[in-house]
């Protein structure tokens, strides 16, 4: 089997496990689905929450000079003009003249090994398309007959507030990135907290983009979640602080359990005019290395634009030197969904066991596992076992996510917990009623040991 085939297989296996075990469901499935939108199931919600709290801890909790924010999805329409999104936030779209399929031109070019930088103008991308017109194929019908590419704006519009006739009848948008909420609250945060430059504002929240192509599962969604941090810095220190964050974010992914060989740097060469530097951390997804996080040195572009469009002075006065200046911005930006897919890809393991059977196990780092402990009574129809198992579940679930399971036989329960990545399974059997011990089974080694019920809490404290 070729490598590609294997990788394709891995993606299918991850998609199928995600649905079967309640990590991710396609949106609106009973209505035939809804392109590039997905729902997180019960275990998916837990995993996503764990990913978000890991990020929050690394960015806000552990950094004295970074504070949190939760700004709204709806914002004043002028914000998206100031940010440049109304004018320039677009992807090149072309239509196949044979089957009328609409494709993202940079993606169809990429399929043929022609690299089109996302910062190219409409003219530049059309030149590339013409040069390669016999090579690029429609992903649907396979023919090479595309229309001219047109830029398609990615902002999602809403009709919010239309009845008031406010805002010059301009459309209101669902935010295309969370960081704009940070820039427009820069002064509020400065005035209400004790931060001083250099300081950061971090935010986790939904963003919306009219992505042209719906593909690669949760990698490219139309409704997704971002975890963004904007550091406001003195212009003279900007590049040092930028380098510092590049290192910190790389280390963060290693700490998250992603293997070094599955990560790599990609430097953007064609920068937007305001950016000073842009690097991506890429992860080796089942479909190849692709962007996981972007780390950008944005200069003073954002505060300059919002000062200009709002008419408010957003400059900062250093309390010690009295120097007045517009801070520069260093940004780290990653999607929850992309991190989720990287974590699933890394965790998915198929193992051949000594007895010749196979198991699928999600070897999540324990801090990310959706369920930390599963508690089983050996038999469902023995009230004394069920009572004891329920007591243990009640006690342990105070501090962590636990699951009580009395369905099927123990083998089936282990298989299920392996597939959702539960680090420990505890079984209450008849001996437990006598010796006050339970069998603790380790997800990774599958080793079993007897542990006293009264020691369970300290065992879990130590091992989780
Ligand atoms: N504020 C900068 C910004 O939004 P971006 O490169 O457009 O930069 C940052 O997006 C990150 O957001 C990406 O690295 C990716 O992890 C995530 N992201 C962007 N578009 C996405 C989409 N359609 N679906 C899922 N995640 C997305």
């Amino acid at each position: 089997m070729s490598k590609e085939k294997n990788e394709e297989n891995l993606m299918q296996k991850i998609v199928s496990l995600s649905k079967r075990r309640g990590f991710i469901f396609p949106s609106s499935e009973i209505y035939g689905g809804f392109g590039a939108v997905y729902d997180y199931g019960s275990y998916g919600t837990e995993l996503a929450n764990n990913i978000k709290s890991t990020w929050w801890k690394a960015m806000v909790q552990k950094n004295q000079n970074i504070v949190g924010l939760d700004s709204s999805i709806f914002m004043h329409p002028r914000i998206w003009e100031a940010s440049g999104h109304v004018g320039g936030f677009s992807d090149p779209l072309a239509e196949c003249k044979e089957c009328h399929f609409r494709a993202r031109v940079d993606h169809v070019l990429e399929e043929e090994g022609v690299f089109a930088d996302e910062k190219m103008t409409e003219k530049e991308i059309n030149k590339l398309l013409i040069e390669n017109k016999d090579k690029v194929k429609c992903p649907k019908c396979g023919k090479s007959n595309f229309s001219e590419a047109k830029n398609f704006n990615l902002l999602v519009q809403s009709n919010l507030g239309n009845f008031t006739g406010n805002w010059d009848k301009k459309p209101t948008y669902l935010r295309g990135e969370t960081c704009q909420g940070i820039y427009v609250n820069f002064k509020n945060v400065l005035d209400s907290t004790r931060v001083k430059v250099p300081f950061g504002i971090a935010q986790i929240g939904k963003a919306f983009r009219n992505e042209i192509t719906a593909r690669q599962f949760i990698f490219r969604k139309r409704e997704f979640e971002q975890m963004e941090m904007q550091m406001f810095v003195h212009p003279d220190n900007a590049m040092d602080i930028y380098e510092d964050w590049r290192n910190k974010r790389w280390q963060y992914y290693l700490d998250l359990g992603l293997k070094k060989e599955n990560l790599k740097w990609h430097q953007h060469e064609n920068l937007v005019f305001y950016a000073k530097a842009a690097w991506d951390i890429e992860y080796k997804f089942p479909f190849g290395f692709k962007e996981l996080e972007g780390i950008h040195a944005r200069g003073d572009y954002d505060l300059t634009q919002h000062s200009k469009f709002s008419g408010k002075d957003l400059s900062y006065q250093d309390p010690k030197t009295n120097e007045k200046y517009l801070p520069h911005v260093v940004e780290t930006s990653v999607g929850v969904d992309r991190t989720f897919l990287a974590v699933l890809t890394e965790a998915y393991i198929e193992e051949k066991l000594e007895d010749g059977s196979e198991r699928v196990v999600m070897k999540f780092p324990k801090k990310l596992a959706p369920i930390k402990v599963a508690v089983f009574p050996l038999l469902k129809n023995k009230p004394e076992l069920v009572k004891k198992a329920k007591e243990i579940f009640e006690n342990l679930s105070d501090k962590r996510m636990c699951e009580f399971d009395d369905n099927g036989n123990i083998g089936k329960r282990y298989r299920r917990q392996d597939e959702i990545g539960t680090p420990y399974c505890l079984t209450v059997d008849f001996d437990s009623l006598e010796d006050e011990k339970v069998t603790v089974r380790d997800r990774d080694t599958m080793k079993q040991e007897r542990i006293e019920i009264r020691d369970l809490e300290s065992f879990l404290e130590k091992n989780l």
Side-chain angles (χ1 to χ4, degrees), residues 428-443:
V428 175
D429 56 21
F430 290 104
D431 288 343
S432 310
L433 303 176
E434 304 299 321
D435 63 6
E436 289 289 312
K437 288 180 181 169
V438 291
T439 303
V440 178
R441 185 251 197 191
D442 182 294
R443 176 194 70 191

Side-chain angles (χ1 to χ4, degrees), residues 94-98 101-105 108 129 133 136-139 143-149:
E95 190 171 302
C96 170
K97 288 185 186 164
E98 307 287 335
F101 180 76
R102 290 174 164 196
R104 231 180 107 165
V105 177
V108 287
L129 188 60
K133 71 175 172 12
V136 287
K137 290 188 196 68
C138 169
K143 304 236 170 72
S144 302
N145 191 8
F146 276 109
S147 71
E148 193 181 317

Side-chain angles (χ1 to χ4, degrees), residues 214-341:
R215 56 174 201 175
Q216 291 157 340
F217 197 33
I218 57 168
F219 179 82
R220 196 177 304 283
K221 295 166 79 187
R222 295 196 171 114
E223 173 182 341
F224 58 101
E225 202 163 12
Q226 287 186 313
M227 303 186 275
E228 297 200 298
M229 191 279 294
Q230 313 292 312
M231 195 90 202
F232 298 92
V233 305
H234 189 283
D236 292 350
N237 305 332
M239 291 322 286
D240 287 343
I241 293 178
Y242 178 74
E243 283 308 319
D244 195 32
W245 275 102
R246 281 218 302 135
N247 293 334
K248 283 187 185 153
R249 295 304 299 158
W250 180 264
Q251 186 57 42
Y252 167 84
Y253 289 110
L254 297 180
D255 296 344
L256 201 64
L258 304 186
K259 286 195 204 76
K260 204 168 153 199
E261 61 267 28
N262 292 336
L263 292 167
K264 77 173 187 203
W265 286 107
H266 167 77
Q267 182 177 22
H268 285 264
E269 273 146 24
N270 293 334
L271 296 175
V272 275
F273 67 93
Y274 57 82
K276 308 283 177 233
W279 286 82
D280 293 339
I281 295 179
E282 294 190 338
Y283 178 74
K284 191 170 184 242
F285 291 100
F287 38 84
F289 274 103
K290 294 268 177 211
E291 175 182 343
L292 173 62
E293 163 156 346
I295 305 164
H296 312 125
R298 302 176 60 114
D300 63 2
Y301 175 76
D302 306 289
L303 294 185
T304 304
Q305 287 297 96
H306 288 301
S307 290
K308 207 160 98 191
F309 278 69
S310 68
K312 300 283 181 319
D313 178 10
L314 297 180
S315 57
Y316 173 80
Q317 185 156 21
D318 189 294
K320 279 199 189 124
T321 63
N322 279 337
E323 184 192 0
K324 207 172 167 191
Y325 59 93
L326 264 190
H328 281 205
V329 166
V330 169
E331 168 182 72
T332 74
S333 174
V334 58
V336 172
D337 315 276
R338 283 196 195 172
T339 313
F340 193 108
L341 186 56

